[in-house]
Amino acid sequence: MSQSRNDLQDRRFGATFRTDSWWTEVLPVIIVFGGFGIYATWRAFQGVSYEFGPYLSPFYSPLIDAEHHWLPAWLSPALLILGAPLGFRTTCYYYRKAYYRAFFLSPPSCAVTGVGAGKYSGERKFPFILQNLHRYFLYLAILFIIILAYDAVKAFFFADGFGVGVGSLVMTVNVVLLSCYTFSCHSLRHIIGGKLDCFSCEVAGGARHKAWKGVSILNERHMLFAWASLVSVGLTDLYIKLLCEGTITDLRLF
Amino acid sequence: MAEATLRVYRGDKDGGGHVDYKVPVAPGMVVLDALHYIQGHQAPDLAVRWNCKAAKCGSCSGEVNGRPKLMCKTRMDDLPLDQPITVNPLKTFPIIKDLVTDVSLNYRINKKIPAFTPRENTDWRMQQDDIDRVQEFRKCIECFLCQNVCHVLRDHQKTEEFGGPRFFVRVAGLDMHPLDSVSRTELLKDELGIGFCNITKCCTEVCPEDIHITDNAIIPLKERVVDDYYDPIMWVIRKLTGKK
Ligand code: SF4
Ligand code: SF4
Ligand code: FES
Ligand code: FES
């Protein structure tokens, strides 16, 4: 069998000599990321069923003007804070890889030609040049971790005093996974010590080297934490929503 | 003895096509062995570049069933032998003959990078903690598989504006060196066009030396470029302190 030389240099979308099913790599991203996006948008706009006893949905924390004193009735309080976690995840180095491949097909998989030949500018032009501001979303995300940790502690204090419900555990696991995701961030790895050329030449260089090492260990699992925390945020909200709607009841462990 | 069909690209810059060769498969055989069998028994004029046959010289890069690989490190028993195995030259670089391509573009890019420049009166003692990072980058064998798979070069052909992953690894090794005195962020941003990289990690996936190119070289370099060119607070701090 012979093929023409042009086949080897084919740069049309999808051109590849790969024989494995490369498209299966992007399917989970499309399903989980897409599914979460739709669910989170719907829940954020809903503006109801986000608080049950001491539990507060992470989509609505910090809760701003829940009684709608100054917030128009049609505006859900979740929409006021959505920008921070959304910005953090969309500018995240890992998610960028995931969605550039799965949604922008740039490239859809390795050694498979993507879309936009001739028009590609990567992250050099607007809007993608804004990805360079990821560290600012990190600062906001750290603030959110403090707030969510406070919510998780509050989730152990019921009307009748201290107790442990399944919801308390759900909220605790959620904040732990979110912390793992946030503290494994590439920007944090840089800021905390990666930016130094010589650790031992700097004031507190030893401590910064240790901190950089610690973040690096977490950073190796950044993808895992990105997905685990995404799923846990969605499930925590779903749990509280179902409690509010009376579909399920919260089990009090003690 | 099992038999495999190798569908090998034969041609030069003026054109060519694939030719099928039947090869007996011996235990432990790699794709490069199969090509040597073809050279020895069926096509003595088949051009293939190789040197060490030990995955250390970086010469035998090619594309096996569409995947960028070192051919001396790709075992036949890892491939589905019931179908022909396609063996192509690297797509990104101009073909010379058959499986041999002209990778000189990489040497031109390399020349843009200022070499290691120690500070004046350097104390040549280094701490292990300070050089751990750069030792990973020294593992590069210059096989250029990462350059070949990178879609910025492969699909978008930004050969003049983009340095490519191998050279980000080299810059990382120099810029993160505790004794080096030169900053290469301007070079990264402008001449090596690091902004073209959209961190999709194909370079990391193909690196036979398992260098974490994207996580340990490119992203940290992107962050250094952010420090110097995109972070507004860092800009204000630089203005206030007068530091470069
Ligand atoms: S991560 Fe960047 S350098 Fe590596 S292959 Fe992808 S676009 Fe190219
Ligand atoms: S970084 Fe890895 S893939 Fe790239 S040239 Fe070096 S060894 Fe090869
Ligand atoms: S890189 Fe993923 S959160 Fe910062
Ligand atoms: S022949 Fe040296 S790397 Fe394959």
Side-chain angles (χ1 to χ4, degrees):
Chain A
M1 197 198 102
S2 264
Q3 285 167 301
S4 78
R5 159 129 175 81
N6 288 342
D7 278 343
L8 220 52
Q9 289 300 314
D10 191 355
R11 287 189 168 85
R12 284 170 301 183
F13 172 60
T16 186
F17 277 90
R18 279 179 65 172
T19 49
D20 55 330
S21 33
W22 54 265
W23 59 89
T24 54
E25 289 170 13
V26 294
L27 284 186
V29 178
I30 295 176
I31 293 165
V32 181
F33 208 43
F36 178 86
I38 294 166
Y39 175 77
T41 312
W42 171 60
R43 282 292 289 145
F45 273 94
Q46 249 193 344
V48 290
S49 308
Y50 52 77
E51 200 173 16
F52 185 85
Y55 308 151
L56 175 62
S57 159
F59 289 159
Y60 285 80
S61 181
L63 191 53
I64 300 170
D65 196 23
E67 311 300 325
H68 290 269
H69 294 303
W70 51 268
L71 197 66
W74 53 267
L75 192 67
S76 157
L79 297 175
L80 299 176
I81 53 162
L82 191 72
L86 186 74
F88 187 48
R89 293 212 184 230
T90 43
T91 58
C92 161
Y93 283 97
Y94 167 68
Y95 281 114
R96 273 144 75 182
K97 172 210 164 190
Y99 67 74
Y100 285 139
R101 282 200 191 189
F103 293 97
F104 290 81
L105 306 172
S106 179
S109 194
C110 303
V112 180
T113 304
V115 294
K119 296 190 291 285
Y120 180 81
S121 58
E123 298 186 332
R124 281 169 67 101
K125 291 200 177 134
F126 183 81
F128 297 113
I129 196 164
L130 296 178
Q131 309 278 30
N132 287 309
L133 297 178
H134 177 60
R135 57 182 63 173
Y136 286 92
F137 287 106
L138 165 71
Y139 305 147
L140 283 176
I142 293 174
L143 208 65
F144 271 65
I145 290 293
I146 297 169
I147 295 166
L148 292 172
Y150 171 75
D151 289 346
V153 172
K154 245 180 61 187
F156 289 89
F157 293 91
F158 295 82
D160 56 353
F162 180 81
V164 180
V166 171
S168 327
L169 301 180
V170 166
M171 290 188 59
T172 306
V173 169
N174 183 45
V175 76
V176 168
L177 289 174
L178 280 170
S179 305
C180 288
Y181 172 56
T182 306
F183 296 118
S184 59
C185 168
H186 285 278
S187 291
L188 182 66
R189 188 180 180 220
H190 169 77
I191 294 160
I192 212 150
K195 66 191 295 180
L196 303 177
D197 294 339
C198 175
F199 296 103
S200 62
C201 315
E202 301 283 334
V203 186
R208 289 188 77 178
H209 181 258
K210 277 206 183 76
W212 171 77
K213 273 268 207 214
V215 175
S216 299
I217 291 169
L218 286 176
N219 181 264
E220 282 174 27
R221 292 161 191 82
H222 192 53
M223 175 177 95
L224 175 73
F225 295 139
W227 288 116
S229 62
L230 189 84
V231 171
S232 86
V233 169
L235 291 182
T236 305
D237 173 77
L238 181 67
Y239 184 76
I240 293 165
K241 176 182 182 295
L242 296 178
L243 287 179
C244 291
E245 291 167 353
T247 319
I248 54 169
T249 47
D250 187 43
L251 201 66
R252 266 295 277 276
L253 303 176
F254 64 85
Chain B
M1 194 183 269
E3 203 178 50
T5 304
L6 262 72
R7 184 162 289 170
V8 184
Y9 186 81
R10 303 294 317 267
D12 55 23
K13 66 179 180 5
D14 300 319
H18 288 91
V19 179
D20 286 359
Y21 300 97
K22 296 234 182 289
V23 177
V25 181
M29 192 175 194
V30 293
V31 171
L32 187 62
D33 292 324
L35 294 170
H36 284 161
Y37 180 90
I38 296 168
Q39 273 185 331
H41 295 84
Q42 301 168 51
D45 60 338
L46 171 67
V48 53
R49 189 186 275 135
W50 67 284
N51 274 289
C52 69
K53 230 180 137 261
K56 279 292 164 234
C57 72
S59 308
C60 66
S61 302
E63 301 195 3
V64 180
N65 278 348
R67 285 177 163 271
K69 296 266 187 205
L70 288 181
M71 293 190 289
C72 71
K73 208 185 167 187
T74 309
R75 291 174 64 102
M76 294 292 283
D77 53 16
D78 286 340
L79 300 167
L81 297 183
D82 52 339
Q83 302 147 21
I85 297 159
T86 311
V87 185
N88 283 345
L90 301 177
K91 179 174 181 174
T92 303
F93 306 111
I95 193 164
I96 297 174
K97 184 175 183 310
D98 304 337
L99 301 175
V100 177
T101 54
D102 174 4
V103 294
S104 57
L105 162 72
N106 297 299
Y107 304 115
R108 289 201 299 280
I109 297 172
N110 195 32
K111 285 200 182 127
K112 295 181 183 174
I113 302 172
F116 175 69
T117 315
R119 275 183 289 274
E120 264 177 55
N121 307 320
T122 294
D123 173 3
W124 288 95
R125 276 172 304 184
M126 286 176 271
Q127 303 299 316
Q128 187 62 41
D129 278 353
D130 291 325
I131 51 164
D132 274 342
R133 266 186 304 186
V134 297
Q135 283 180 329
E136 178 186 11
F137 308 134
R138 305 292 299 188
K139 292 195 301 180
C140 174
I141 57 171
E142 296 214 310
C143 64
F144 303 129
L145 285 173
C146 56
Q147 298 285 98
N148 171 59
V149 82
C150 176
H151 71 130
V152 181
L153 296 168
R154 185 181 180 94
D155 297 338
H156 306 295
Q157 297 174 286
K158 303 276 182 205
T159 48
E160 298 308 311
E161 302 118 289
F162 185 60
R166 190 284 169 262
F167 298 100
F168 298 140
V169 167
R170 170 145 195 258
V171 171
L174 293 165
D175 255 31
M176 294 177 195
H177 196 291
L179 302 184
D180 181 74
S181 60
V182 177
S183 166
R184 296 169 183 80
T185 48
E186 188 179 352
L187 175 89
L188 284 167
K189 178 175 162 288
D190 297 332
E191 276 195 81
L192 301 184
I194 196 167
F196 279 113
C197 164
N198 65 354
I199 49 173
T200 34
K201 282 199 171 176
C202 290
C203 49
T204 306
E205 277 185 28
V206 301
C207 178
E209 282 294 317
D210 198 28
I211 300 172
H212 293 207
I213 304 175
T214 324
D215 286 350
N216 290 348
I218 298 178
I219 294 175
L221 290 178
K222 276 191 175 242
E223 285 292 319
R224 286 172 181 231
V225 172
V226 173
D227 279 351
D228 289 356
Y229 292 96
Y230 299 110
D231 185 331
I233 293 182
M234 296 285 285
W235 180 81
V236 171
I237 293 173
R238 269 197 305 276
K239 287 280 161 212
L240 291 178
T241 60
K243 277 198 193 148
K244 278 277 267 175

